[in-house]
Amino acid sequence: MTNSRRPGDGNPAPDNTPEPAGATATATEAPVADVAASEVPHGLRRLPNWALTLLAIGTLYMLIVAIGVIGDGFKGLGKDAAASLFDFATNPFIALFVGVLATAIIQSSSTTTTLVVTAVGAGALPIEVAVPMIMGANIGTSVTNTLASFGHAGHKDEFRRAFAASTVHDFFNLFAVIILLPLEIFFHPIQRSAEWVSDRIFGTVLPDPGQADFVGTLTDPVVDLIGMDGLTGLLPGSEFIDGVVTILLGVAMIFFAVSWLGKILQVLMVGRAKAILEKSVGGHPLTAMGAGLLVTVAVQSSSVTTSVMVPFAGSGALTTRQIYPLTLGANVGTTITALIAAMAVTGDGAKLALTIALVHTLFNVFGILIIYGLPFLRSLPLIGAETLARVATERKILAVAWVLTVFIIVPALAILIKVLFT
């Protein structure tokens, strides 16, 4: 795993050669600390661990309440009116672009997937449309670490290494969608697998919310206070407007909760997370995947996990090939938020919500098994990332064009055309 040759290039790349383990920690300690510090408000870092733990519990509670508020809003609209909010996304490709654009704009796949899970559970979004939205969210979330690589734009070699290491995440997610979306449209392997798993664990490993609604008991009073039976229900206007306002309020609460939960957990976990990443990334690929998964679950953000690796790549301490499996583990780790959201959905749609949350997990697992598991596909994301990095290093405007085109322009144009001409 320490091969310093770039895929598709027969010439050695000495500046990509990893340094000895001891040198790696020293060379990269400051950049990693800088990345972590830039993500977290200074006042938060000064709090004691017990206060941070209470804040983490509080923001998690807010996340679960937000899911209830959104569900309340969808119920207020009625199923037909709620479903009409997603009429423009009935085409699976448009649903994919909605997932990409929404996640790229709000910089949080957790927020997007949590909203999708809640909408499915409320009966407002068919699972066949939700699946490509989840895939799009997977693509959209990779924009964050790609943007992080621009911090090295002032140094040519550093930028090439950093941009390659960040866009390998982009290319893997794009290839996963290219392979799995057509299969899903025609044969539904991910949806059927998720339904099979959901059947096995719903009401057994996980309690049936209809029989043991412990979460609802804790959150329903607050949901009722905020939602259609409380504050938003008092707003002037029709029930439809009240429902839309309730949904938007719930989305804002999810975004706030997910964002701050990530910041709090970074303060609690960043030291241990950094140590795990430093020790594992240069080892066996499965170890790196496991580290990416564990750290992402701990900090509740795949963007943090993958962005922390950008300075390692820029300094030449680690190669793109070494960082590659870590990003795959981060892809799986980020699905935990949707699973938490699914457990908070109650009523008739609870099982559907669990199913779409499992779709998120299984999409990433299947992508790893197919692309990374098959030797003739494994190098494709590396080839794409390092080829693009070489070109973008010579003309940095192409790096900007990549980000704008893939994550903003193409999805926005596709959605606009769909809305205007249907």
Side-chain angles (χ1 to χ4, degrees):
M1 297 305 299
T2 58
N3 183 7
S4 62
R5 292 179 181 271
R6 299 189 300 266
D9 187 352
N11 297 321
D15 53 345
N16 269 354
T17 304
E19 299 175 17
T24 299
T26 303
T28 57
E29 186 172 357
V32 175
D34 291 343
V35 171
S38 67
E39 296 287 332
V40 181
H42 181 68
L44 201 60
R45 297 197 303 274
R46 300 179 63 181
L47 293 177
N49 281 356
W50 65 265
L52 291 169
T53 301
L54 289 178
L55 281 174
I57 294 170
T59 52
L60 182 60
Y61 180 79
M62 179 186 285
L63 172 63
I64 296 171
V65 168
I67 292 162
V69 169
I70 292 174
D72 195 43
F74 280 129
K75 290 174 186 174
L77 293 178
K79 283 196 174 181
D80 291 339
S84 69
L85 295 177
F86 298 95
D87 279 348
F88 69 96
T90 51
N91 182 307
F93 295 101
I94 298 302
L96 174 77
F97 289 133
V98 169
V100 174
L101 185 62
T103 306
I105 290 173
I106 65 178
Q107 292 281 288
S108 172
S109 63
S110 296
T111 301
T112 305
T113 54
T114 298
L115 176 59
V116 170
V117 166
T118 310
V120 170
L125 185 64
I127 196 167
E128 293 79 10
V129 177
V131 172
M133 276 192 186
I134 292 289
M135 294 182 179
N138 238 54
I139 293 174
T141 194
S142 62
V143 70
T144 307
N145 58 300
T146 302
L147 291 173
S149 68
F150 282 86
H152 298 267
H155 305 277
K156 186 174 180 179
D157 287 339
E158 281 187 26
F159 181 63
R160 175 177 57 77
R161 292 188 294 257
F163 195 67
S166 59
T167 55
V168 74
H169 194 196
D170 303 359
F171 277 100
F172 178 86
N173 288 336
L174 287 168
F175 283 129
V177 168
I178 289 169
I179 293 169
L180 289 170
L181 181 58
L183 290 174
E184 188 61 25
I185 291 172
F186 291 108
F187 305 109
H188 310 294
I190 301 174
Q191 180 183 333
R192 288 175 179 172
S193 299
E195 289 171 343
W196 184 88
V197 176
S198 181
D199 286 340
R200 298 302 179 277
I201 66 176
F202 193 78
T204 54
V205 177
L206 296 177
D208 184 334
Q211 299 173 1
D213 188 8
F214 176 70
V215 172
T217 301
L218 291 176
T219 59
D220 281 350
V222 180
V223 172
D224 291 340
L225 179 65
I226 296 173
M228 296 286 286
D229 294 329
L231 294 176
T232 59
L234 297 175
L235 295 172
S238 67
E239 192 174 61
F240 180 85
I241 292 175
D242 290 349
V244 171
V245 171
T246 304
I247 292 169
L248 292 176
L249 176 61
V251 172
M253 290 173 65
I254 286 176
F255 180 78
F256 181 86
V258 167
S259 174
W260 277 92
L261 183 60
K263 288 179 172 65
I264 294 163
L265 290 174
Q266 283 172 53
V267 178
L268 285 170
M269 298 299 299
V270 70
R272 278 166 277 183
K274 182 167 84 75
I276 290 171
L277 294 177
E278 285 179 347
K279 291 177 181 178
S280 61
V281 175
H284 193 278
L286 290 178
T287 304
M289 284 185 202
L293 188 155
L294 290 174
V295 170
T296 302
V297 169
V299 301
Q300 284 289 286
S301 174
S302 61
S303 298
V304 170
T305 305
T306 53
S307 296
V308 159
M309 287 292 98
V310 171
F312 283 81
S315 68
L318 292 170
T319 66
T320 301
R321 184 179 292 273
Q322 290 172 311
I323 293 172
Y324 175 25
L326 178 136
T327 65
L328 309 188
N331 269 357
V332 178
T334 197
T335 66
I336 188 66
T337 308
L339 289 170
I340 292 172
M343 294 175 197
V345 176
T346 59
D348 296 337
K351 192 172 181 181
L352 280 175
L354 176 60
T355 299
I356 194 62
L358 288 167
V359 163
H360 192 199
T361 304
L362 292 176
F363 167 66
N364 285 293
V365 171
F366 288 170
I368 292 171
L369 292 175
I370 293 171
I371 298 175
Y372 201 84
L374 298 176
F376 64 93
L377 294 177
R378 185 178 303 156
S379 291
L380 287 181
L382 286 167
I383 293 170
E386 296 192 343
T387 301
L388 176 63
R390 287 197 296 273
V391 174
T393 299
E394 299 302 324
R395 300 183 63 186
K396 292 187 177 63
I397 189 63
L398 295 179
V400 176
W402 168 263
V403 172
L404 292 177
T405 302
V406 171
F407 299 104
I408 303 294
I409 295 174
V410 170
L413 280 178
I415 295 168
L416 181 62
I417 291 170
K418 169 70 175 177
V419 170
L420 290 178
F421 294 97
T422 59

mmCIF file of all heavy atoms in Angstrom, residues 224-261:
data_model
loop_
_atom_site.group_PDB
_atom_site.id
_atom_site.type_symbol
_atom_site.label_atom_id
_atom_site.label_comp_id
_atom_site.label_asym_id
_atom_site.label_seq_id
_atom_site.Cartn_x
_atom_site.Cartn_y
_atom_site.Cartn_z
ATOM 1 N N ASP A 224 -45.189 18.650 20.291
ATOM 2 C CA ASP A 224 -46.536 19.239 20.349
ATOM 3 C C ASP A 224 -46.471 20.736 20.657
ATOM 4 O O ASP A 224 -47.286 21.522 20.150
ATOM 5 C CB ASP A 224 -47.382 18.533 21.419
ATOM 6 C CG ASP A 224 -47.739 17.104 21.032
ATOM 7 O OD1 ASP A 224 -47.676 16.784 19.820
ATOM 8 O OD2 ASP A 224 -48.063 16.306 21.939
ATOM 9 N N LEU A 225 -45.523 21.136 21.463
ATOM 10 C CA LEU A 225 -45.375 22.551 21.810
ATOM 11 C C LEU A 225 -44.930 23.373 20.605
ATOM 12 O O LEU A 225 -45.398 24.496 20.397
ATOM 13 C CB LEU A 225 -44.362 22.696 22.953
ATOM 14 C CG LEU A 225 -44.060 24.125 23.432
ATOM 15 C CD1 LEU A 225 -45.311 24.752 24.045
ATOM 16 C CD2 LEU A 225 -42.911 24.121 24.430
ATOM 17 N N ILE A 226 -44.029 22.796 19.786
ATOM 18 C CA ILE A 226 -43.463 23.528 18.658
ATOM 19 C C ILE A 226 -44.329 23.410 17.406
ATOM 20 O O ILE A 226 -44.480 24.364 16.647
ATOM 21 C CB ILE A 226 -42.035 23.013 18.352
ATOM 22 C CG1 ILE A 226 -41.107 23.304 19.533
ATOM 23 C CG2 ILE A 226 -41.488 23.644 17.072
ATOM 24 C CD1 ILE A 226 -39.734 22.673 19.389
ATOM 25 N N GLY A 227 -44.902 22.226 17.182
ATOM 26 C CA GLY A 227 -45.525 21.890 15.900
ATOM 27 C C GLY A 227 -46.927 22.409 15.700
ATOM 28 O O GLY A 227 -47.342 23.426 16.269
ATOM 29 N N MET A 228 -47.699 21.665 14.869
ATOM 30 C CA MET A 228 -49.018 22.098 14.421
ATOM 31 C C MET A 228 -50.009 22.266 15.568
ATOM 32 O O MET A 228 -50.955 23.033 15.475
ATOM 33 C CB MET A 228 -49.570 21.078 13.421
ATOM 34 C CG MET A 228 -48.750 20.964 12.140
ATOM 35 S SD MET A 228 -48.970 22.371 11.043
ATOM 36 C CE MET A 228 -50.610 22.060 10.401
ATOM 37 N N ASP A 229 -49.801 21.533 16.661
ATOM 38 C CA ASP A 229 -50.684 21.678 17.825
ATOM 39 C C ASP A 229 -50.209 22.779 18.774
ATOM 40 O O ASP A 229 -50.841 23.023 19.804
ATOM 41 C CB ASP A 229 -50.769 20.355 18.602
ATOM 42 C CG ASP A 229 -51.441 19.264 17.791
ATOM 43 O OD1 ASP A 229 -52.315 19.601 16.966
ATOM 44 O OD2 ASP A 229 -51.087 18.085 17.978
ATOM 45 N N GLY A 230 -49.093 23.422 18.413
ATOM 46 C CA GLY A 230 -48.529 24.445 19.281
ATOM 47 C C GLY A 230 -48.236 25.726 18.526
ATOM 48 O O GLY A 230 -49.118 26.323 17.904
ATOM 49 N N LEU A 231 -46.963 26.133 18.539
ATOM 50 C CA LEU A 231 -46.581 27.446 18.017
ATOM 51 C C LEU A 231 -46.884 27.634 16.541
ATOM 52 O O LEU A 231 -47.493 28.638 16.156
ATOM 53 C CB LEU A 231 -45.081 27.670 18.286
ATOM 54 C CG LEU A 231 -44.658 27.778 19.758
ATOM 55 C CD1 LEU A 231 -43.149 27.909 19.871
ATOM 56 C CD2 LEU A 231 -45.362 28.960 20.419
ATOM 57 N N THR A 232 -46.443 26.703 15.688
ATOM 58 C CA THR A 232 -46.653 26.911 14.250
ATOM 59 C C THR A 232 -48.129 26.809 13.876
ATOM 60 O O THR A 232 -48.563 27.392 12.874
ATOM 61 C CB THR A 232 -45.837 25.897 13.417
ATOM 62 O OG1 THR A 232 -46.219 24.558 13.770
ATOM 63 C CG2 THR A 232 -44.352 26.066 13.650
ATOM 64 N N GLY A 233 -48.910 26.076 14.662
ATOM 65 C CA GLY A 233 -50.344 25.990 14.394
ATOM 66 C C GLY A 233 -51.078 27.280 14.680
ATOM 67 O O GLY A 233 -52.215 27.472 14.222
ATOM 68 N N LEU A 234 -50.457 28.193 15.428
ATOM 69 C CA LEU A 234 -51.075 29.479 15.760
ATOM 70 C C LEU A 234 -50.836 30.532 14.691
ATOM 71 O O LEU A 234 -51.397 31.634 14.761
ATOM 72 C CB LEU A 234 -50.520 29.987 17.096
ATOM 73 C CG LEU A 234 -50.814 29.115 18.330
ATOM 74 C CD1 LEU A 234 -50.106 29.684 19.551
ATOM 75 C CD2 LEU A 234 -52.321 29.017 18.575
ATOM 76 N N LEU A 235 -49.977 30.209 13.690
ATOM 77 C CA LEU A 235 -49.668 31.188 12.653
ATOM 78 C C LEU A 235 -50.898 31.468 11.797
ATOM 79 O O LEU A 235 -51.711 30.573 11.539
ATOM 80 C CB LEU A 235 -48.537 30.653 11.757
ATOM 81 C CG LEU A 235 -47.172 30.471 12.424
ATOM 82 C CD1 LEU A 235 -46.214 29.757 11.484
ATOM 83 C CD2 LEU A 235 -46.593 31.827 12.842
ATOM 84 N N PRO A 236 -51.068 32.711 11.350
ATOM 85 C CA PRO A 236 -52.200 33.017 10.469
ATOM 86 C C PRO A 236 -52.012 32.352 9.108
ATOM 87 O O PRO A 236 -50.896 32.137 8.653
ATOM 88 C CB PRO A 236 -52.143 34.548 10.353
ATOM 89 C CG PRO A 236 -50.713 34.901 10.626
ATOM 90 C CD PRO A 236 -50.228 33.895 11.622
ATOM 91 N N GLY A 237 -53.103 32.032 8.461
ATOM 92 C CA GLY A 237 -53.024 31.404 7.146
ATOM 93 C C GLY A 237 -53.644 30.032 7.148
ATOM 94 O O GLY A 237 -54.203 29.570 8.142
ATOM 95 N N SER A 238 -53.511 29.360 6.021
ATOM 96 C CA SER A 238 -54.130 28.046 5.852
ATOM 97 C C SER A 238 -53.327 26.974 6.570
ATOM 98 O O SER A 238 -52.174 27.185 6.975
ATOM 99 C CB SER A 238 -54.226 27.708 4.368
ATOM 100 O OG SER A 238 -52.925 27.538 3.828
ATOM 101 N N GLU A 239 -53.947 25.803 6.697
ATOM 102 C CA GLU A 239 -53.259 24.660 7.301
ATOM 103 C C GLU A 239 -52.071 24.233 6.458
ATOM 104 O O GLU A 239 -51.049 23.771 6.987
ATOM 105 C CB GLU A 239 -54.238 23.496 7.466
ATOM 106 C CG GLU A 239 -53.700 22.369 8.343
ATOM 107 C CD GLU A 239 -54.746 21.303 8.612
ATOM 108 O OE1 GLU A 239 -55.211 20.691 7.638
ATOM 109 O OE2 GLU A 239 -55.072 21.078 9.790
ATOM 110 N N PHE A 240 -52.167 24.408 5.135
ATOM 111 C CA PHE A 240 -51.061 24.071 4.239
ATOM 112 C C PHE A 240 -49.841 24.931 4.549
ATOM 113 O O PHE A 240 -48.722 24.431 4.652
ATOM 114 C CB PHE A 240 -51.483 24.255 2.780
ATOM 115 C CG PHE A 240 -50.398 23.929 1.791
ATOM 116 C CD1 PHE A 240 -50.190 22.620 1.361
ATOM 117 C CD2 PHE A 240 -49.558 24.920 1.287
ATOM 118 C CE1 PHE A 240 -49.192 22.316 0.461
ATOM 119 C CE2 PHE A 240 -48.554 24.625 0.391
ATOM 120 C CZ PHE A 240 -48.375 23.315 -0.027
ATOM 121 N N ILE A 241 -50.061 26.239 4.710
ATOM 122 C CA ILE A 241 -48.944 27.141 5.014
ATOM 123 C C ILE A 241 -48.341 26.789 6.369
ATOM 124 O O ILE A 241 -47.117 26.761 6.530
ATOM 125 C CB ILE A 241 -49.425 28.604 4.989
ATOM 126 C CG1 ILE A 241 -49.802 29.010 3.569
ATOM 127 C CG2 ILE A 241 -48.343 29.536 5.545
ATOM 128 C CD1 ILE A 241 -50.401 30.400 3.457
ATOM 129 N N ASP A 242 -49.210 26.512 7.353
ATOM 130 C CA ASP A 242 -48.706 26.123 8.677
ATOM 131 C C ASP A 242 -47.858 24.857 8.587
ATOM 132 O O ASP A 242 -46.825 24.734 9.258
ATOM 133 C CB ASP A 242 -49.876 25.892 9.642
ATOM 134 C CG ASP A 242 -50.590 27.185 10.007
ATOM 135 O OD1 ASP A 242 -50.058 28.260 9.675
ATOM 136 O OD2 ASP A 242 -51.680 27.103 10.606
ATOM 137 N N GLY A 243 -48.302 23.919 7.759
ATOM 138 C CA GLY A 243 -47.549 22.671 7.585
ATOM 139 C C GLY A 243 -46.195 22.905 6.959
ATOM 140 O O GLY A 243 -45.184 22.335 7.395
ATOM 141 N N VAL A 244 -46.160 23.762 5.924
ATOM 142 C CA VAL A 244 -44.880 24.068 5.255
ATOM 143 C C VAL A 244 -43.929 24.761 6.226
ATOM 144 O O VAL A 244 -42.739 24.436 6.293
ATOM 145 C CB VAL A 244 -45.121 24.941 4.002
ATOM 146 C CG1 VAL A 244 -43.790 25.445 3.444
ATOM 147 C CG2 VAL A 244 -45.866 24.156 2.931
ATOM 148 N N VAL A 245 -44.448 25.718 7.007
ATOM 149 C CA VAL A 245 -43.611 26.421 7.985
ATOM 150 C C VAL A 245 -43.078 25.444 9.022
ATOM 151 O O VAL A 245 -41.904 25.521 9.430
ATOM 152 C CB VAL A 245 -44.411 27.553 8.662
ATOM 153 C CG1 VAL A 245 -43.621 28.139 9.835
ATOM 154 C CG2 VAL A 245 -44.739 28.643 7.661
ATOM 155 N N THR A 246 -43.916 24.510 9.446
ATOM 156 C CA THR A 246 -43.492 23.496 10.422
ATOM 157 C C THR A 246 -42.363 22.641 9.863
ATOM 158 O O THR A 246 -41.374 22.359 10.559
ATOM 159 C CB THR A 246 -44.686 22.601 10.816
ATOM 160 O OG1 THR A 246 -45.744 23.422 11.316
ATOM 161 C CG2 THR A 246 -44.283 21.603 11.892
ATOM 162 N N ILE A 247 -42.497 22.238 8.602
ATOM 163 C CA ILE A 247 -41.449 21.427 7.960
ATOM 164 C C ILE A 247 -40.151 22.219 7.875
ATOM 165 O O ILE A 247 -39.067 21.705 8.204
ATOM 166 C CB ILE A 247 -41.906 20.969 6.567
ATOM 167 C CG1 ILE A 247 -43.057 19.965 6.691
ATOM 168 C CG2 ILE A 247 -40.741 20.336 5.797
ATOM 169 C CD1 ILE A 247 -43.757 19.663 5.378
ATOM 170 N N LEU A 248 -40.236 23.475 7.435
ATOM 171 C CA LEU A 248 -39.029 24.299 7.303
ATOM 172 C C LEU A 248 -38.355 24.523 8.657
ATOM 173 O O LEU A 248 -37.126 24.519 8.754
ATOM 174 C CB LEU A 248 -39.383 25.642 6.658
ATOM 175 C CG LEU A 248 -39.829 25.583 5.187
ATOM 176 C CD1 LEU A 248 -40.255 26.965 4.703
ATOM 177 C CD2 LEU A 248 -38.721 25.028 4.309
ATOM 178 N N LEU A 249 -39.173 24.715 9.689
ATOM 179 C CA LEU A 249 -38.617 24.875 11.029
ATOM 180 C C LEU A 249 -37.891 23.600 11.455
ATOM 181 O O LEU A 249 -36.787 23.661 12.029
ATOM 182 C CB LEU A 249 -39.728 25.205 12.024
ATOM 183 C CG LEU A 249 -39.316 25.316 13.499
ATOM 184 C CD1 LEU A 249 -38.285 26.423 13.689
ATOM 185 C CD2 LEU A 249 -40.540 25.565 14.385
ATOM 186 N N GLY A 250 -38.492 22.446 11.175
ATOM 187 C CA GLY A 250 -37.854 21.176 11.506
ATOM 188 C C GLY A 250 -36.539 20.989 10.774
ATOM 189 O O GLY A 250 -35.544 20.509 11.346
ATOM 190 N N VAL A 251 -36.506 21.367 9.484
ATOM 191 C CA VAL A 251 -35.266 21.263 8.698
ATOM 192 C C VAL A 251 -34.186 22.156 9.299
ATOM 193 O O VAL A 251 -33.019 21.755 9.420
ATOM 194 C CB VAL A 251 -35.523 21.649 7.218
ATOM 195 C CG1 VAL A 251 -34.210 21.738 6.450
ATOM 196 C CG2 VAL A 251 -36.448 20.638 6.556
ATOM 197 N N ALA A 252 -34.570 23.385 9.679
ATOM 198 C CA ALA A 252 -33.600 24.300 10.298
ATOM 199 C C ALA A 252 -33.072 23.715 11.609
ATOM 200 O O ALA A 252 -31.871 23.811 11.908
ATOM 201 C CB ALA A 252 -34.257 25.659 10.553
ATOM 202 N N MET A 253 -33.947 23.086 12.379
ATOM 203 C CA MET A 253 -33.523 22.458 13.636
ATOM 204 C C MET A 253 -32.565 21.302 13.381
ATOM 205 O O MET A 253 -31.574 21.129 14.098
ATOM 206 C CB MET A 253 -34.748 21.964 14.412
ATOM 207 C CG MET A 253 -35.616 23.074 14.986
ATOM 208 S SD MET A 253 -37.159 22.438 15.708
ATOM 209 C CE MET A 253 -36.497 21.456 17.071
ATOM 210 N N ILE A 254 -32.844 20.502 12.347
ATOM 211 C CA ILE A 254 -31.948 19.392 12.003
ATOM 212 C C ILE A 254 -30.572 19.926 11.621
ATOM 213 O O ILE A 254 -29.535 19.429 12.082
ATOM 214 C CB ILE A 254 -32.535 18.551 10.855
ATOM 215 C CG1 ILE A 254 -33.690 17.691 11.358
ATOM 216 C CG2 ILE A 254 -31.465 17.648 10.235
ATOM 217 C CD1 ILE A 254 -34.379 16.902 10.272
ATOM 218 N N PHE A 255 -30.571 20.947 10.760
ATOM 219 C CA PHE A 255 -29.293 21.512 10.317
ATOM 220 C C PHE A 255 -28.492 22.030 11.507
ATOM 221 O O PHE A 255 -27.295 21.765 11.626
ATOM 222 C CB PHE A 255 -29.540 22.641 9.318
ATOM 223 C CG PHE A 255 -28.283 23.275 8.799
ATOM 224 C CD1 PHE A 255 -27.543 22.646 7.812
ATOM 225 C CD2 PHE A 255 -27.820 24.475 9.309
ATOM 226 C CE1 PHE A 255 -26.368 23.219 7.335
ATOM 227 C CE2 PHE A 255 -26.653 25.050 8.843
ATOM 228 C CZ PHE A 255 -25.925 24.418 7.847
ATOM 229 N N PHE A 256 -29.165 22.754 12.400
ATOM 230 C CA PHE A 256 -28.493 23.303 13.583
ATOM 231 C C PHE A 256 -27.975 22.180 14.472
ATOM 232 O O PHE A 256 -26.824 22.205 14.922
ATOM 233 C CB PHE A 256 -29.473 24.190 14.354
ATOM 234 C CG PHE A 256 -28.879 24.832 15.574
ATOM 235 C CD1 PHE A 256 -28.204 26.033 15.474
ATOM 236 C CD2 PHE A 256 -28.993 24.227 16.819
ATOM 237 C CE1 PHE A 256 -27.647 26.635 16.599
ATOM 238 C CE2 PHE A 256 -28.440 24.820 17.950
ATOM 239 C CZ PHE A 256 -27.772 26.021 17.838
ATOM 240 N N ALA A 257 -28.818 21.166 14.706
ATOM 241 C CA ALA A 257 -28.438 20.078 15.611
ATOM 242 C C ALA A 257 -27.280 19.272 15.049
ATOM 243 O O ALA A 257 -26.317 18.960 15.761
ATOM 244 C CB ALA A 257 -29.643 19.167 15.873
ATOM 245 N N VAL A 258 -27.348 18.925 13.762
ATOM 246 C CA VAL A 258 -26.285 18.131 13.141
ATOM 247 C C VAL A 258 -24.977 18.913 13.142
ATOM 248 O O VAL A 258 -23.900 18.376 13.458
ATOM 249 C CB VAL A 258 -26.682 17.728 11.707
ATOM 250 C CG1 VAL A 258 -25.479 17.178 10.947
ATOM 251 C CG2 VAL A 258 -27.796 16.688 11.736
ATOM 252 N N SER A 259 -25.052 20.199 12.794
ATOM 253 C CA SER A 259 -23.845 21.030 12.745
ATOM 254 C C SER A 259 -23.186 21.129 14.117
ATOM 255 O O SER A 259 -21.969 20.913 14.259
ATOM 256 C CB SER A 259 -24.208 22.423 12.221
ATOM 257 O OG SER A 259 -23.100 23.291 12.296
ATOM 258 N N TRP A 260 -23.966 21.417 15.149
ATOM 259 C CA TRP A 260 -23.385 21.602 16.478
ATOM 260 C C TRP A 260 -23.011 20.286 17.133
ATOM 261 O O TRP A 260 -22.037 20.223 17.896
ATOM 262 C CB TRP A 260 -24.335 22.416 17.353
ATOM 263 C CG TRP A 260 -24.166 23.870 17.083
ATOM 264 C CD1 TRP A 260 -24.860 24.627 16.191
ATOM 265 C CD2 TRP A 260 -23.177 24.734 17.641
ATOM 266 N NE1 TRP A 260 -24.380 25.914 16.161
ATOM 267 C CE2 TRP A 260 -23.351 26.008 17.059
ATOM 268 C CE3 TRP A 260 -22.178 24.568 18.595
ATOM 269 C CZ2 TRP A 260 -22.554 27.102 17.382
ATOM 270 C CZ3 TRP A 260 -21.379 25.661 18.918
ATOM 271 C CH2 TRP A 260 -21.568 26.908 18.318
ATOM 272 N N LEU A 261 -23.753 19.225 16.832
ATOM 273 C CA LEU A 261 -23.359 17.918 17.363
ATOM 274 C C LEU A 261 -21.981 17.541 16.839
ATOM 275 O O LEU A 261 -21.123 17.041 17.581
ATOM 276 C CB LEU A 261 -24.394 16.855 16.971
ATOM 277 C CG LEU A 261 -24.144 15.439 17.510
ATOM 278 C CD1 LEU A 261 -24.129 15.421 19.039
ATOM 279 C CD2 LEU A 261 -25.203 14.479 16.983
#
